[in-house]
Structures are given as structure tokens and as C-alpha cells.
Coordinates of all heavy atoms in Angstrom, one line a residue:
M1 N 13.0 -12.2 -16.0 CA 14.2 -12.5 -15.2 C 14.1 -14.0 -14.9 O 13.1 -14.5 -14.5 CB 14.1 -11.6 -14.0 CG 14.8 -12.1 -12.7 SD 14.8 -11.0 -11.3 CE 15.6 -9.5 -12.0
N2 N 15.3 -14.6 -15.0 CA 15.4 -16.0 -14.6 C 15.8 -16.2 -13.2 O 16.1 -15.2 -12.5 CB 16.3 -16.8 -15.6 CG 17.7 -16.4 -15.5 OD1 18.3 -16.1 -14.4 ND2 18.4 -16.4 -16.6
Q3 N 15.8 -17.4 -12.7 CA 16.1 -17.6 -11.3 C 17.5 -17.2 -10.9 O 17.6 -16.5 -9.8 CB 15.9 -19.1 -10.9 CG 16.1 -19.3 -9.4 CD 15.7 -20.7 -9.0 OE1 14.5 -21.0 -9.0 NE2 16.6 -21.5 -8.6
Q4 N 18.5 -17.4 -11.7 CA 19.8 -17.0 -11.3 C 19.9 -15.5 -11.3 O 20.6 -15.0 -10.4 CB 20.8 -17.6 -12.3 CG 22.3 -17.3 -11.9 CD 22.6 -17.9 -10.5 OE1 22.3 -19.0 -10.2 NE2 23.1 -17.0 -9.6
E5 N 19.3 -14.8 -12.2 CA 19.3 -13.3 -12.1 C 18.6 -12.8 -10.9 O 19.1 -11.9 -10.2 CB 18.6 -12.8 -13.4 CG 19.4 -13.0 -14.7 CD 18.6 -12.7 -15.9 OE1 17.3 -12.8 -15.9 OE2 19.2 -12.4 -16.9
A6 N 17.5 -13.5 -10.5 CA 16.8 -13.1 -9.3 C 17.7 -13.4 -8.0 O 17.7 -12.5 -7.1 CB 15.5 -13.9 -9.2
L7 N 18.4 -14.5 -8.0 CA 19.2 -14.8 -6.9 C 20.3 -13.8 -6.8 O 20.7 -13.3 -5.7 CB 19.8 -16.2 -7.0 CG 18.8 -17.3 -6.8 CD1 19.5 -18.7 -7.2 CD2 18.3 -17.4 -5.4
T8 N 20.9 -13.3 -7.9 CA 21.9 -12.3 -7.9 C 21.4 -11.0 -7.4 O 22.0 -10.3 -6.6 CB 22.5 -12.1 -9.3 OG1 23.1 -13.4 -9.7 CG2 23.6 -11.0 -9.4
L9 N 20.2 -10.6 -7.8 CA 19.5 -9.4 -7.3 C 19.3 -9.5 -5.8 O 19.6 -8.5 -5.1 CB 18.2 -9.2 -8.1 CG 17.4 -8.0 -7.6 CD1 18.1 -6.7 -7.8 CD2 16.0 -8.0 -8.2
I10 N 18.8 -10.6 -5.3 CA 18.5 -10.7 -3.9 C 19.8 -10.6 -3.1 O 19.9 -9.9 -2.1 CB 17.8 -12.0 -3.6 CG1 16.4 -12.0 -4.3 CG2 17.7 -12.3 -2.1 CD1 15.7 -13.4 -4.3
A11 N 20.9 -11.2 -3.6 CA 22.2 -11.1 -2.9 C 22.7 -9.6 -2.9 O 23.2 -9.2 -1.9 CB 23.2 -12.0 -3.7
E12 N 22.4 -8.9 -4.0 CA 22.8 -7.5 -4.0 C 22.0 -6.7 -3.0 O 22.5 -5.8 -2.3 CB 22.6 -6.9 -5.4 CG 23.6 -7.5 -6.4 CD 23.3 -7.0 -7.9 OE1 22.4 -6.3 -8.1 OE2 24.0 -7.5 -8.8
I13 N 20.7 -7.0 -3.0 CA 19.8 -6.2 -2.1 C 20.3 -6.4 -0.6 O 20.4 -5.4 0.2 CB 18.4 -6.7 -2.2 CG1 17.8 -6.2 -3.6 CG2 17.5 -6.2 -1.1 CD1 16.5 -6.8 -3.9
F14 N 20.6 -7.6 -0.2 CA 21.0 -7.9 1.1 C 22.5 -7.8 1.3 O 23.0 -8.1 2.4 CB 20.6 -9.3 1.6 CG 19.1 -9.4 1.7 CD1 18.4 -10.4 1.0 CD2 18.4 -8.6 2.5 CE1 17.0 -10.5 1.1 CE2 17.0 -8.7 2.7 CZ 16.3 -9.7 2.0
E15 N 23.2 -7.3 0.3 CA 24.7 -7.1 0.4 C 25.4 -8.3 0.9 O 26.2 -8.2 1.9 CB 25.0 -5.8 1.2 CG 24.4 -4.6 0.6 CD 24.6 -3.3 1.4 OE1 25.2 -3.4 2.5 OE2 24.2 -2.2 0.9
C16 N 25.2 -9.4 0.3 CA 25.8 -10.7 0.8 C 26.4 -11.4 -0.4 O 26.2 -11.0 -1.5 CB 24.8 -11.6 1.5 SG 23.5 -12.2 0.4
P17 N 27.3 -12.3 -0.2 CA 27.9 -13.0 -1.3 C 26.9 -13.7 -2.2 O 25.8 -14.0 -1.7 CB 28.8 -14.1 -0.6 CG 29.0 -13.6 0.8 CD 27.7 -12.8 1.1
N18 N 27.2 -13.8 -3.4 CA 26.3 -14.3 -4.4 C 26.3 -15.8 -4.4 O 26.5 -16.5 -5.4 CB 26.6 -13.8 -5.8 CG 25.5 -14.0 -6.8 OD1 24.4 -14.4 -6.4 ND2 25.8 -13.8 -8.0
N19 N 26.0 -16.4 -3.2 CA 25.9 -17.9 -3.1 C 24.6 -18.3 -2.5 O 24.5 -19.4 -1.9 CB 27.1 -18.4 -2.3 CG 27.1 -17.9 -0.9 OD1 26.4 -17.0 -0.6 ND2 28.0 -18.4 -0.1
L20 N 23.6 -17.5 -2.8 CA 22.3 -17.9 -2.2 C 21.6 -18.9 -3.1 O 21.8 -19.0 -4.3 CB 21.3 -16.6 -2.3 CG 21.7 -15.4 -1.4 CD1 20.8 -14.3 -1.6 CD2 21.8 -15.8 0.0
T21 N 20.8 -19.7 -2.5 CA 20.0 -20.7 -3.1 C 18.6 -20.5 -2.7 O 18.3 -19.8 -1.7 CB 20.4 -22.2 -2.8 OG1 20.1 -22.4 -1.4 CG2 21.9 -22.4 -3.1
P22 N 17.6 -21.1 -3.4 CA 16.2 -20.9 -3.0 C 16.0 -21.4 -1.5 O 15.1 -20.8 -0.8 CB 15.4 -21.7 -4.0 CG 16.2 -21.7 -5.2 CD 17.7 -21.7 -4.7
S23 N 16.7 -22.4 -1.1 CA 16.5 -22.9 0.3 C 17.2 -22.1 1.4 O 17.0 -22.4 2.5 CB 16.9 -24.4 0.3 OG 18.3 -24.5 0.1
T24 N 17.9 -21.1 1.0 CA 18.6 -20.3 2.0 C 17.6 -19.6 2.9 O 16.8 -18.9 2.5 CB 19.6 -19.2 1.4 OG1 20.5 -19.9 0.5 CG2 20.3 -18.4 2.4
A25 N 17.7 -19.9 4.2 CA 16.8 -19.3 5.2 C 17.3 -17.9 5.6 O 18.5 -17.5 5.5 CB 16.8 -20.1 6.5
K26 N 16.3 -17.0 5.9 CA 16.7 -15.6 6.2 C 17.7 -15.5 7.4 O 18.5 -14.6 7.3 CB 15.4 -14.8 6.5 CG 14.7 -15.0 7.8 CD 13.6 -14.0 7.8 CE 12.8 -14.1 9.1 NZ 11.6 -13.2 9.1
Q27 N 17.6 -16.4 8.3 CA 18.6 -16.3 9.4 C 20.0 -16.6 9.0 O 21.0 -16.3 9.7 CB 18.2 -17.2 10.6 CG 18.2 -18.6 10.4 CD 16.8 -19.1 10.0 OE1 15.9 -18.4 9.5 NE2 16.5 -20.4 10.2
N28 N 20.2 -17.1 7.8 CA 21.5 -17.4 7.3 C 22.0 -16.4 6.3 O 23.1 -16.5 5.7 CB 21.5 -18.8 6.6 CG 21.3 -19.9 7.6 OD1 21.7 -19.9 8.7 ND2 20.6 -20.9 7.1
V29 N 21.3 -15.2 6.2 CA 21.7 -14.1 5.4 C 22.0 -12.9 6.3 O 21.1 -12.4 6.9 CB 20.6 -13.8 4.4 CG1 21.0 -12.6 3.5 CG2 20.3 -15.0 3.5
R30 N 23.3 -12.6 6.4 CA 23.7 -11.6 7.3 C 23.0 -10.2 7.1 O 22.6 -9.6 8.1 CB 25.2 -11.3 7.2 CG 25.7 -10.2 8.1 CD 27.2 -10.1 8.1 NE 27.7 -11.3 8.8 CZ 28.9 -11.5 9.1 NH1 29.8 -10.6 8.7 NH2 29.3 -12.5 9.8
G31 N 22.8 -9.9 5.9 CA 22.1 -8.6 5.6 C 20.6 -8.6 5.6 O 20.0 -7.5 5.3
W32 N 20.0 -9.7 6.0 CA 18.6 -9.8 6.1 C 18.1 -9.3 7.4 O 17.7 -10.0 8.3 CB 18.1 -11.2 5.8 CG 16.7 -11.4 5.4 CD1 15.6 -10.6 5.8 CD2 16.2 -12.4 4.6 NE1 14.5 -11.1 5.2 CE2 14.8 -12.2 4.5 CE3 16.7 -13.4 3.9 CZ2 13.9 -13.0 3.7 CZ3 15.9 -14.3 3.2 CH2 14.5 -14.0 3.1
D33 N 18.2 -8.0 7.6 CA 17.8 -7.3 8.8 C 16.8 -6.2 8.5 O 16.3 -6.2 7.3 CB 19.0 -6.7 9.5 CG 19.8 -5.8 8.6 OD1 19.3 -5.4 7.6 OD2 21.0 -5.5 9.0
S34 N 16.5 -5.3 9.4 CA 15.5 -4.3 9.1 C 15.8 -3.4 7.9 O 15.0 -3.1 7.1 CB 15.2 -3.5 10.3 OG 16.3 -2.9 10.8
M35 N 17.1 -3.1 7.8 CA 17.6 -2.3 6.7 C 17.5 -3.1 5.4 O 17.1 -2.5 4.3 CB 19.0 -1.7 6.9 CG 19.0 -0.7 8.0 SD 18.0 0.8 7.7 CE 18.7 1.4 6.2
G36 N 17.8 -4.3 5.4 CA 17.7 -5.2 4.3 C 16.3 -5.3 3.8 O 16.1 -5.3 2.6
V37 N 15.4 -5.5 4.7 CA 14.0 -5.6 4.3 C 13.5 -4.3 3.7 O 12.8 -4.3 2.7 CB 13.1 -5.9 5.6 CG1 11.6 -5.8 5.2 CG2 13.4 -7.3 6.0
L38 N 13.9 -3.1 4.2 CA 13.6 -1.8 3.6 C 14.2 -1.8 2.2 O 13.5 -1.3 1.3 CB 14.1 -0.7 4.4 CG 13.3 -0.5 5.7 CD1 14.0 0.7 6.5 CD2 11.9 -0.1 5.5
S39 N 15.4 -2.2 2.0 CA 16.0 -2.3 0.7 C 15.2 -3.2 -0.3 O 15.0 -2.8 -1.5 CB 17.4 -2.7 0.7 OG 18.2 -1.8 1.5
L40 N 14.8 -4.3 0.2 CA 14.0 -5.3 -0.6 C 12.7 -4.6 -1.0 O 12.3 -4.6 -2.2 CB 13.7 -6.5 0.2 CG 12.8 -7.6 -0.5 CD1 13.6 -8.2 -1.6 CD2 12.4 -8.6 0.6
M41 N 12.0 -3.9 -0.1 CA 10.8 -3.3 -0.4 C 10.9 -2.2 -1.4 O 10.2 -2.1 -2.4 CB 10.2 -2.6 0.9 CG 9.7 -3.7 1.9 SD 9.2 -2.9 3.5 CE 7.7 -2.0 3.0
A42 N 12.0 -1.4 -1.3 CA 12.2 -0.3 -2.2 C 12.6 -0.8 -3.6 O 12.1 -0.3 -4.6 CB 13.4 0.6 -1.7
E43 N 13.4 -1.8 -3.7 CA 13.8 -2.4 -4.9 C 12.6 -3.0 -5.7 O 12.4 -2.9 -6.9 CB 14.9 -3.5 -4.7 CG 15.5 -4.0 -6.0 CD 16.3 -3.0 -6.8 OE1 16.9 -2.1 -6.1 OE2 16.5 -3.1 -8.0
F44 N 11.8 -3.8 -4.9 CA 10.6 -4.4 -5.5 C 9.6 -3.4 -6.0 O 9.0 -3.5 -7.1 CB 10.0 -5.4 -4.6 CG 10.5 -6.8 -4.6 CD1 11.9 -7.0 -4.8 CD2 9.7 -7.9 -4.5 CE1 12.4 -8.3 -4.9 CE2 10.2 -9.2 -4.6 CZ 11.6 -9.4 -4.8
D45 N 9.5 -2.3 -5.3 CA 8.6 -1.2 -5.7 C 9.2 -0.5 -7.0 O 8.4 -0.4 -8.0 CB 8.4 -0.2 -4.6 CG 7.4 0.9 -4.9 OD1 6.6 0.7 -5.8 OD2 7.4 1.9 -4.2
D46 N 10.4 -0.1 -6.9 CA 11.0 0.6 -8.0 C 11.2 -0.2 -9.3 O 10.8 0.2 -10.4 CB 12.4 1.1 -7.7 CG 12.4 2.2 -6.6 OD1 11.3 2.8 -6.4 OD2 13.5 2.5 -6.0
R47 N 11.6 -1.5 -9.1 CA 12.0 -2.3 -10.3 C 10.8 -3.0 -10.9 O 10.6 -3.2 -12.1 CB 13.1 -3.3 -9.9 CG 13.6 -4.1 -11.1 CD 14.6 -5.1 -10.7 NE 15.8 -4.4 -10.4 CZ 17.0 -4.7 -11.0 NH1 17.1 -5.7 -11.9 NH2 18.1 -4.1 -10.6
F48 N 9.9 -3.5 -10.0 CA 8.8 -4.4 -10.4 C 7.4 -3.9 -10.1 O 6.4 -4.5 -10.5 CB 9.0 -5.8 -9.7 CG 10.3 -6.4 -9.9 CD1 11.2 -6.5 -8.8 CD2 10.7 -6.9 -11.1 CE1 12.4 -7.2 -9.0 CE2 11.9 -7.5 -11.3 CZ 12.8 -7.6 -10.2
N49 N 7.3 -2.7 -9.5 CA 6.0 -2.1 -9.1 C 5.3 -3.1 -8.2 O 4.1 -3.3 -8.3 CB 5.2 -1.7 -10.3 CG 4.1 -0.7 -10.0 OD1 4.3 0.0 -9.0 ND2 3.1 -0.8 -10.7
I50 N 6.0 -3.8 -7.3 CA 5.4 -4.7 -6.3 C 5.5 -4.0 -4.9 O 6.6 -3.7 -4.5 CB 6.2 -6.0 -6.3 CG1 6.1 -6.8 -7.6 CG2 5.6 -6.9 -5.1 CD1 6.9 -8.0 -7.7
L51 N 4.4 -3.8 -4.3 CA 4.3 -3.2 -3.0 C 4.2 -4.3 -2.0 O 3.1 -5.0 -1.9 CB 3.2 -2.2 -2.9 CG 3.3 -1.0 -3.8 CD1 2.0 -0.1 -3.7 CD2 4.5 -0.2 -3.4
L52 N 5.2 -4.6 -1.2 CA 5.2 -5.6 -0.2 C 4.5 -5.1 1.0 O 4.8 -4.1 1.5 CB 6.6 -6.1 0.1 CG 7.4 -6.7 -1.0 CD1 8.9 -6.9 -0.6 CD2 6.8 -8.0 -1.5
T53 N 3.5 -5.9 1.5 CA 2.7 -5.6 2.6 C 3.4 -6.2 3.9 O 4.2 -7.1 3.8 CB 1.3 -6.1 2.5 OG1 1.3 -7.5 2.5 CG2 0.6 -5.5 1.3
Q54 N 3.0 -5.7 5.0 CA 3.5 -6.2 6.3 C 3.2 -7.7 6.4 O 4.0 -8.5 6.8 CB 2.9 -5.4 7.5 CG 3.5 -5.8 8.8 CD 5.0 -5.6 8.9 OE1 5.5 -4.6 8.3 NE2 5.7 -6.5 9.6
P55 N 1.9 -8.1 6.1 CA 1.6 -9.6 6.2 C 2.5 -10.4 5.3 O 3.0 -11.5 5.7 CB 0.2 -9.7 5.8 CG -0.4 -8.3 6.2 CD 0.7 -7.4 5.9
Q56 N 2.8 -9.9 4.1 CA 3.7 -10.6 3.2 C 5.1 -10.7 3.8 O 5.7 -11.8 3.7 CB 3.8 -9.9 1.8 CG 2.7 -10.1 0.9 CD 2.8 -9.4 -0.4 OE1 3.0 -8.2 -0.4 NE2 2.8 -10.1 -1.5
L57 N 5.6 -9.6 4.3 CA 6.9 -9.6 4.9 C 7.0 -10.6 6.0 O 8.1 -11.2 6.2 CB 7.3 -8.2 5.3 CG 7.5 -7.2 4.2 CD1 7.6 -5.8 4.8 CD2 8.7 -7.5 3.3
E58 N 6.0 -10.7 6.8 CA 6.0 -11.6 7.9 C 6.0 -13.1 7.5 O 6.5 -13.9 8.2 CB 4.8 -11.4 8.8 CG 4.9 -10.0 9.6 CD 3.6 -9.7 10.3 OE1 2.6 -10.4 10.2 OE2 3.6 -8.6 10.9
Q59 N 5.6 -13.3 6.3 CA 5.6 -14.7 5.7 C 6.9 -15.1 5.0 O 7.1 -16.2 4.7 CB 4.4 -14.8 4.7 CG 3.1 -14.7 5.3 CD 2.7 -15.8 6.2 OE1 2.9 -17.0 5.9 NE2 2.0 -15.5 7.3
I60 N 7.8 -14.1 4.8 CA 9.0 -14.4 4.1 C 10.0 -15.0 5.0 O 10.5 -14.3 5.9 CB 9.6 -13.1 3.4 CG1 8.6 -12.6 2.3 CG2 10.9 -13.4 2.7 CD1 8.9 -11.3 1.7
N61 N 10.4 -16.2 4.9 CA 11.3 -16.9 5.7 C 12.5 -17.5 5.0 O 13.5 -18.0 5.6 CB 10.6 -18.0 6.5 CG 9.6 -17.4 7.5 OD1 9.9 -16.6 8.3 ND2 8.4 -17.9 7.3
S62 N 12.5 -17.4 3.7 CA 13.6 -18.0 2.9 C 13.7 -17.2 1.6 O 12.8 -16.5 1.2 CB 13.4 -19.5 2.6 OG 12.3 -19.6 1.7
V63 N 14.8 -17.4 0.9 CA 15.0 -16.9 -0.4 C 13.8 -17.3 -1.4 O 13.3 -16.6 -2.2 CB 16.4 -17.2 -1.0 CG1 16.5 -16.8 -2.5 CG2 17.4 -16.5 -0.2
N64 N 13.4 -18.6 -1.2 CA 12.4 -19.1 -2.1 C 11.1 -18.3 -1.9 O 10.3 -18.2 -2.9 CB 12.1 -20.6 -1.8 CG 11.3 -21.2 -2.9 OD1 11.7 -21.2 -4.1 ND2 10.2 -21.8 -2.5
D65 N 10.8 -17.8 -0.7 CA 9.6 -17.0 -0.5 C 9.7 -15.7 -1.3 O 8.6 -15.3 -1.9 CB 9.4 -16.7 1.0 CG 9.1 -17.9 1.8 OD1 8.6 -18.9 1.3 OD2 9.5 -17.9 3.0
I66 N 10.8 -15.2 -1.4 CA 11.0 -14.0 -2.3 C 10.8 -14.3 -3.7 O 10.2 -13.6 -4.5 CB 12.4 -13.3 -2.0 CG1 12.5 -12.9 -0.6 CG2 12.6 -12.2 -3.0 CD1 13.9 -12.4 -0.2
L67 N 11.4 -15.4 -4.1 CA 11.3 -15.9 -5.5 C 9.8 -16.1 -5.9 O 9.3 -15.8 -7.0 CB 12.1 -17.2 -5.8 CG 13.6 -17.0 -5.7 CD1 14.2 -18.4 -5.8 CD2 14.1 -16.1 -6.7
N68 N 9.1 -16.7 -4.9 CA 7.6 -16.9 -5.1 C 6.9 -15.6 -5.4 O 5.9 -15.6 -6.2 CB 7.0 -17.7 -4.0 CG 7.4 -19.2 -4.0 OD1 7.7 -19.7 -5.1 ND2 7.3 -19.8 -2.9
I69 N 7.2 -14.6 -4.7 CA 6.6 -13.3 -4.9 C 6.8 -12.8 -6.3 O 5.9 -12.3 -7.0 CB 7.0 -12.2 -3.8 CG1 6.5 -12.6 -2.5 CG2 6.6 -10.8 -4.2 CD1 7.1 -11.8 -1.3
L70 N 8.1 -12.9 -6.7 CA 8.4 -12.5 -8.1 C 7.6 -13.4 -9.1 O 7.1 -12.9 -10.1 CB 9.9 -12.7 -8.4 CG 10.8 -11.7 -7.7 CD1 12.3 -12.0 -7.8 CD2 10.5 -10.3 -8.2
R71 N 7.6 -14.7 -8.8 CA 6.9 -15.6 -9.7 C 5.4 -15.3 -9.8 O 4.8 -15.2 -10.9 CB 7.1 -17.0 -9.2 CG 6.7 -18.1 -10.1 CD 7.0 -19.5 -9.6 NE 8.5 -19.7 -9.5 CZ 9.3 -19.8 -8.4 NH1 8.7 -19.8 -7.3 NH2 10.6 -20.0 -8.5
E72 N 4.8 -15.0 -8.6 CA 3.3 -14.8 -8.6 C 3.0 -13.5 -9.3 O 1.8 -13.3 -9.8 CB 2.9 -14.7 -7.1 CG 2.9 -16.0 -6.4 CD 2.8 -15.8 -4.9 OE1 2.7 -14.7 -4.4 OE2 2.9 -16.9 -4.2
N73 N 3.9 -12.5 -9.4 CA 3.7 -11.3 -10.0 C 4.2 -11.2 -11.5 O 4.3 -10.2 -12.1 CB 4.3 -10.1 -9.2 CG 3.5 -9.8 -8.0 OD1 2.6 -9.1 -8.0 ND2 3.9 -10.4 -6.9
G74 N 4.6 -12.4 -12.0 CA 5.0 -12.5 -13.4 C 6.3 -12.0 -13.8 O 6.6 -11.7 -14.9
H75 N 7.2 -11.9 -12.8 CA 8.6 -11.4 -13.0 C 9.7 -12.4 -13.0 O 10.8 -12.1 -13.2 CB 8.9 -10.3 -12.0 CG 8.0 -9.1 -12.1 ND1 8.1 -8.2 -13.2 CD2 7.0 -8.7 -11.4 CE1 7.2 -7.2 -13.0 NE2 6.5 -7.5 -11.9
L76 N 9.3 -13.7 -12.8 CA 10.3 -14.7 -12.7 C 9.9 -15.8 -13.7 O 8.8 -16.4 -13.6 CB 10.4 -15.3 -11.3 CG 11.4 -16.4 -11.1 CD1 12.8 -15.8 -11.3 CD2 11.3 -16.9 -9.7
T77 N 10.8 -16.1 -14.6 CA 10.6 -17.2 -15.6 C 11.4 -18.4 -15.1 O 12.4 -18.3 -14.4 CB 11.1 -16.8 -17.0 OG1 12.5 -16.5 -16.9 CG2 10.3 -15.7 -17.5
E78 N 11.0 -19.6 -15.4 CA 11.7 -20.8 -15.0 C 12.7 -21.2 -15.9 O 12.8 -20.9 -17.1 CB 10.7 -21.9 -14.8 CG 9.6 -21.6 -13.7 CD 10.2 -21.3 -12.4 OE1 11.2 -22.0 -11.9 OE2 9.7 -20.4 -11.7

């Protein structure tokens, strides 16, 4: 998956307009709430077999942090 595809997926997960950038902060994403985080966890588990832990979730403060998780797990190409 390339970065644009990942950004589109993240926008779908948080049910927000597809205008996210890596620097978008979580407080600027309306759907980035407790339900959105559950959706992110479920999608990452189902699609990528990535189990997000509580400490990881606490470290996610921007879209780039999500992209880094995909990158670290080999699911994001540059």
C-alpha cells in the first residue's frame, strides 16, 4: 500500500473527508474518538494482522503515527 492509499483508508476508518495529510493531528479529525479508535484497531487487525496495544494507542497523536505503524509492519511502501 502506498501513502495515498493509506491516507484514504485512514479517512474511511475515521469517517472523515479524504483530505488528511501525515501532519494532521488527531484533535483535527472529528471521527478520531473512542469509536474511531476501535474501528482503527479492528481494521488493522482484520486487514494487516496488526494488534494495536494500549501503549501504542496512547502514542498515536497524528496521522503520521498511524502511517509509521504501517511502515514498521511492512505494509506501507514509499
Side-chain angles (χ1 to χ4, degrees):
M1 154 178 299
N2 66 36
Q3 181 169 294
Q4 188 54 52
E5 292 168 332
L7 291 171
T8 299
L9 174 64
I10 294 166
E12 289 172 4
I13 290 170
F14 291 125
E15 299 178 356
C16 66
N18 192 11
N19 60 353
L20 297 178
T21 67
S23 63
T24 303
K26 73 178 179 180
Q27 63 265 25
N28 295 327
V29 179
R30 178 174 288 186
W32 199 327
D33 54 16
S34 58
M35 290 303 296
V37 169
L38 289 175
S39 295
L40 178 70
M41 292 173 68
E43 187 70 27
F44 271 39
D45 185 20
D46 290 345
R47 186 181 286 233
F48 305 111
N49 200 29
I50 297 173
L51 296 174
L52 296 172
T53 64
Q54 186 63 35
Q56 281 179 305
L57 293 169
E58 291 170 1
Q59 296 289 321
I60 299 174
N61 295 305
S62 69
V63 171
N64 194 57
D65 294 332
I66 297 171
L67 295 174
N68 283 336
I69 291 170
L70 289 172
R71 193 174 291 113
E72 290 164 1
N73 285 276
H75 296 287
L76 183 63
T77 58
E78 297 303 320

